[in-house]
Amino acid sequence: MCAANASRASRPVDPKRLLRPQTRLDIILNTDFMTGQSDVRSSMILDITPDYVVAAQSDPPILKSMVDRIVEATIVHHDFLTYQSTRWGWSSRLLNLNNDYRINPKDPQSVMVSAVYLSLPGPKGLQKSNVRQAYRLDAGSGGRIKVEMSPAPVSLLNFSAGGMMLATPAPPKYNLGHEVDYSLLFPADGSLDQTTIRGRAVVVRLEYEPGEAKAKLGLKFLDLSPETFRNLEKVINYYMLEEQRRRNREF
């Protein structure tokens, strides 16, 4: 790699520039690191005051009972020159809800929306966040991402760098605590090359009701090699970027 390309690949990020109105914000209410499941609420920064950050009410909404809870507020930075994605965030407190927040507080005729007030970042400001490790991405309805596993067929529901959720015919032939070998095939898509992830996982969650046609399996990845983790992180970065682009188009 030439010096110019090396410089471009490692461009520094100024966290202060990330925290500004109109920036997409993910509010992480809680994370189960055993299964990789996160309760993530998508929002957008409306304003930043000397006392708090004003964010749009999320969908599903943050409830009054959640006020005063400590959450992680995170922002994904996408570098469109290097195609690198990094997540930044801070530990924040849900301060209050306001169902009659004016988009422009100085204009009494401006539109009113529902808003959430979050505490500002502490003295250290925004820090690189590891929530991507547990950030789950839906596999989508097309079923293009394939997963192979024995002793019964499975289909992918969602995945993260920590694990995946699968559907399998009921009654399930998998049990809690069982270790299995798996193969994940991600098809070529845009700038993403076809990628295969192979490894071993343990069943940490089993959801099944008698009479239902399908059961759900939650698996935690075991002992990912550095190369496998890098490939999986590359896939997650790609799909997170695509999701962000889709949200921007819909907004």
Side-chain angles (χ1 to χ4, degrees):
M1 180 182 292
C2 69
N5 288 340
S7 176
R8 172 172 290 187
S10 58
R11 294 197 318 157
V13 175
D14 181 1
K16 294 180 180 178
R17 297 184 59 186
L18 301 182
L19 194 63
R20 58 189 180 186
Q22 304 302 311
T23 299
R24 289 284 176 173
L25 185 73
D26 284 328
I27 301 173
I28 317 298
L29 295 179
N30 53 63
T31 299
D32 182 346
F33 288 101
M34 280 296 294
T35 64
Q37 290 280 32
S38 293
D39 186 349
V40 183
R41 309 294 174 96
S42 296
S43 179
M44 182 180 69
I45 297 175
L46 300 176
D47 195 13
I48 301 172
T49 77
D51 301 312
Y52 47 78
V53 174
V54 183
Q57 176 62 281
S58 61
D59 182 22
I62 291 173
L63 306 177
K64 187 71 175 178
S65 60
M66 299 175 183
V67 169
D68 209 38
R69 181 182 297 187
I70 300 297
V71 300
E72 184 171 7
T74 70
I75 297 165
V76 177
H77 170 67
H78 301 296
D79 191 317
F80 290 99
L81 289 180
T82 66
Y83 297 102
Q84 291 182 332
S85 298
T86 52
R87 184 174 285 271
W88 298 78
W90 76 99
S91 180
S92 181
R93 186 182 298 274
L94 293 173
L95 299 175
N96 205 352
L97 306 180
N98 184 351
N99 293 325
D100 300 311
Y101 177 80
R102 290 194 182 278
I103 294 294
N104 184 356
K106 296 180 180 180
D107 180 4
Q109 302 302 317
S110 65
V111 175
M112 290 193 299
V113 298
S114 295
V116 179
Y117 293 169
L118 299 165
S119 65
L120 294 163
K124 294 183 178 180
L126 272 65
Q127 303 290 311
K128 268 194 173 181
S129 172
N130 291 324
V131 74
R132 180 174 51 203
Q133 174 77 15
Y135 192 97
R136 248 174 215 278
L137 296 168
D138 288 336
S141 59
R144 297 181 64 231
I145 303 173
K146 304 297 183 183
V147 58
E148 295 181 358
M149 208 167 74
S150 295
V154 292
S155 58
L156 184 67
L157 299 177
N158 53 53
F159 66 99
S160 74
M164 56 187 170
M165 183 69 74
L166 308 174
T168 188
K173 295 184 179 180
Y174 300 92
N175 296 313
L176 286 173
H178 279 191
E179 295 186 10
V180 294
D181 293 319
Y182 66 87
S183 176
L184 273 168
L185 174 62
F186 297 92
D189 187 3
S191 62
L192 180 70
D193 295 331
Q194 179 173 301
T195 304
T196 300
I197 305 293
R198 294 185 178 89
R200 196 160 179 81
V202 59
V203 179
V204 295
R205 178 176 295 179
L206 178 60
E207 299 177 10
Y208 165 62
E209 294 292 335
E212 291 186 350
K214 294 284 186 179
K216 290 183 178 180
L217 301 172
L219 287 95
K220 177 186 176 184
F221 295 142
L222 297 174
D223 301 325
L224 292 175
S225 69
E227 181 181 2
T228 300
F229 184 82
R230 284 194 298 270
N231 288 337
L232 188 55
E233 189 174 43
K234 178 183 66 176
V235 168
I236 290 174
N237 280 340
Y238 174 80
Y239 282 106
M240 286 179 67
L241 180 57
E242 287 301 299
E243 182 180 353
Q244 184 75 14
R245 286 173 175 163
R246 177 184 59 78
R247 290 179 183 176
N248 290 340
R249 289 194 297 268
E250 293 176 351
F251 178 68

